[in-house]
Amino acid sequence: MKQLIIIVTLVTLVPLSAAANYDSEVRLSFPPAYSTLTKVDLEDWKSVTKEFRDNALWNQDTTEIQSCESLYTLPVTTSREGNVSFGGICTIAGSGQKVFICTDRMLGRFEVFPEYQRDLPWIAQTIFDHCWGG
């Protein structure tokens, strides 16, 4: 009986701590935008990276994006169907330089930042200040 209690305790504690850790790393409530910064789902990773590439071309930016290692979304509204702005840490083809890039779906704003921080508040504020689609 004692062993069963220990197993039950471990099973109930592990998911809670893992969820709390995951949640704290990928979500940030961002009151100025009345929104939440979250990591882009893995199944959307390819399409968001393509959107970065397309917006670079549309804005006549010579930045050629090789790949992205971190991608974030900051919806303009709390609705997941509304306008969305994105930001990510990406590698530039050829040079291998890592930069922060942001874009929005509504107006196609596109900005590249050679200097950036891997800090969620910085990422949210940069997307809001430079690529907000609202």
Side-chain angles (χ1 to χ4, degrees):
M1 184 68 174
K2 207 177 212 182
Q3 291 172 339
L4 182 60
I5 292 171
I6 291 170
I7 291 171
V8 171
T9 304
L10 286 175
V11 170
T12 53
L13 287 180
V14 172
L16 290 176
S17 62
N21 186 29
Y22 175 82
D23 195 39
S24 66
E25 290 181 16
V26 297
R27 298 183 76 82
L28 173 73
S29 178
F30 193 66
Y34 303 106
S35 189
T36 302
L37 179 79
T38 58
K39 273 202 170 184
V40 170
D41 294 331
L42 290 177
E43 58 267 10
D44 298 329
W45 203 273
K46 193 175 188 176
S47 66
V48 172
T49 302
K50 182 183 180 323
E51 198 166 324
F52 279 5
R53 289 183 182 124
D54 292 348
N55 281 351
L57 289 172
W58 188 76
N59 283 284
Q60 299 177 350
D61 192 296
T62 58
T63 302
E64 187 178 334
I65 301 159
Q66 178 178 322
S67 62
C68 297
E69 66 183 57
S70 298
L71 291 174
Y72 298 91
T73 179
L74 188 65
V76 171
T77 65
T78 54
S79 166
R80 307 262 300 149
E81 302 300 318
N83 185 27
V84 177
S85 296
F86 296 101
I89 298 170
C90 301
T91 303
I92 303 301
S95 70
Q97 177 186 8
K98 292 190 187 286
V99 297
F100 182 81
I101 296 172
C102 70
T103 190
D104 78 280
R105 280 199 174 146
M106 181 177 263
L107 301 173
R109 290 184 185 98
F110 180 82
E111 294 288 333
V112 177
F113 301 88
E115 295 181 18
Y116 60 90
Q117 297 175 24
R118 293 179 182 267
D119 177 59
L120 292 183
W122 184 91
I123 290 169
Q125 191 66 55
T126 301
I127 294 170
F128 184 70
D129 288 346
H130 299 279
C131 296
W132 189 242

